[in-house]
C-alpha cells in the first residue's frame, strides 16, 4: 500500500492530542459536513488537529472519554479512528453524494393541482416518492414516501422552494447512510 501520510505528520497529530490530554485513538465519526453543500464558493474549513485550511468535508470526531468533539479533515479523522481507509471511504462517498445532489437539483418537479394545499409538487427519485406541499402561509412541508413531513432545513423553517428541494434530497439520500 502506498504511504498516504508521513510518520512526521502522524507524530505531530499524536503529540497535539497528547498535549490536549485527549485519547490518541478510539474516536468515531458522528457527523460529516460538506461545507460547500449549499454554496460552491463557501470558505473551506480548517482541521482542528493539523491546521490544514482546505477542508471541504469536515469529519466531526467524538470520543466517549473526551469532553468535546473535534472537527478534522480526512487523514486526521483516519488517524484518530485508527483506520485511514474508513475515513477515505467516507470522504469518497461524500464526494459521490455531492455529485448526486447536483444532479438532483436539476430535476424537474411535477405539479399537482387541487386539494387543501396552495401548491403541491412531486418527484420520484431512487424509487422514492418525494412531495413538497405549500400551505396558504407559504410554509413548505417535505415528505418522502408519505412519511412524517419535514418543515425545516438546517434548523430554519422552509419558506422557499429551493430549501424544500434541499430538504427533499436529505430525506431521499440521507447522510446517515454514509456514517
Ligand atoms: Zn488534519
Amino acid at each position: 500500500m502506498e504511504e498516504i501520510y508521513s510518520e512526521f505528520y502522524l507524530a505531530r497529530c499524536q503529540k497535539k492530542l497528547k498535549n490536549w490530554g485527549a485519547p490518541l485513538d478510539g474516536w468515531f465519526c458522528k457527523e460529516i459536513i460538506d461545507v460547500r453543500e449549499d454554496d460552491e464558493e463557501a470558505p473551506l474549513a480548517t482541521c482542528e488537529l493539523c491546521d490544514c485550511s482546505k477542508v471541504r468535508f469536515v469529519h466531526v470526531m467524538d470520543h466517549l472519554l473526551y469532553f468535546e468533539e473535534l472537527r478534522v479533515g480526512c487523514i486526521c479523522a483516519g488517524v484518530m479512528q485508527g483506520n485511514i481507509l474508513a475515513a477515505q471511504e467516507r470522504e469518497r462517498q461524500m464526494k459521490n453524494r455531492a455529485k448526486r445532489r447536483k444532479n438532483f437539483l436539476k430535476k424537474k418537479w411535477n405539479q399537482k393541482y387541487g386539494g387543501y394545499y396552495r401548491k403541491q409538487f412531486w418527484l420520484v427519485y431512487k424509487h422514492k416518492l418525494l412531495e413538497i406541499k405549500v400551505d396558504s402561509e407559504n410554509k413548505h412541508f417535505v415528505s418522502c414516501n408519505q412519511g412524517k413531513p419535514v418543515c425545516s432545513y438546517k434548523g430554519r423553517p422552509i419558506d422557499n422552494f429551493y430549501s424544500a428541494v434541499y430538504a427533499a434530497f436529505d430525506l431521499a439520500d440521507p447522510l446517515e447512510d454514509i456514517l
Side-chain angles (χ1 to χ4, degrees), residues 13-24 49 70 80:
C13 290
Q14 292 190 328
K15 188 167 174 234
K16 209 158 172 186
L17 288 169
K18 254 185 219 160
N19 288 344
W20 289 337
L24 298 189
L49 192 54
L70 287 176
M80 295 167 78

Side-chain angles (χ1 to χ4, degrees), residues 23-132:
L24 298 189
D25 52 25
W27 295 79
F28 61 93
C29 183
K30 67 180 252 189
E31 194 185 352
I32 183 160
I33 303 163
D34 178 359
V35 296
R36 294 206 160 153
E37 189 170 42
D38 295 335
D39 174 6
E40 284 188 31
E41 315 260 285
L44 293 169
T46 298
C47 173
E48 290 181 344
L49 192 54
C50 73
D51 293 324
C52 163
S53 59
K54 291 193 168 67
V55 178
R56 170 167 176 177
F57 301 104
V58 177
H59 302 237
V60 182
M61 304 303 287
D62 203 357
H63 198 290
L64 296 172
L65 302 176
Y66 198 59
F67 71 102
E68 65 178 357
E69 50 194 41
L70 287 176
R71 295 168 171 253
V72 300
C74 178
I75 303 299
C76 285
V79 169
M80 295 167 78
Q81 189 180 354
N83 189 341
I84 301 278
L85 293 180
Q88 284 181 318
E89 172 62 14
R90 221 160 37 231
E91 184 101 351
R92 189 185 68 81
Q93 289 194 30
M94 282 299 282
K95 281 181 192 151
N96 289 341
R97 183 179 186 266
K99 275 183 216 151
R100 289 197 299 275
R101 191 174 188 273
K102 217 169 167 177
N103 290 328
F104 181 82
L105 299 183
K106 289 183 207 147
K107 290 191 185 297
K108 243 190 123 146
W109 287 70
N110 308 287
Q111 197 163 357
K112 194 167 122 185
Y113 297 93
Y116 165 78
Y117 290 93
R118 190 163 65 83
K119 280 183 193 162
Q120 288 186 69
F121 303 90
W122 63 273
L123 178 72
V124 174
Y125 176 72
K126 284 182 153 190
H127 307 291
K128 292 171 185 166
L129 171 65
L130 299 171
E131 291 177 282
I132 297 174

Side-chain angles (χ1 to χ4, degrees), residues 139-163:
K139 270 191 204 151
H140 289 57
F141 300 87
V142 184
S143 65
C144 176
N145 285 341
Q146 300 180 316
K148 191 171 181 282
V150 164
C151 49
S152 68
Y153 175 70
K154 293 193 175 167
R156 300 169 70 165
I158 303 171
D159 60 3
N160 64 79
F161 189 70
Y162 290 102
S163 300

Side-chain angles (χ1 to χ4, degrees), residues 2-16:
E2 244 181 56
E3 238 189 21
I4 42 180
Y5 61 96
S6 66
E7 287 300 313
F8 173 74
Y9 174 93
L10 179 65
R12 206 180 50 178
C13 290
Q14 292 190 328
K15 188 167 174 234
K16 209 158 172 186

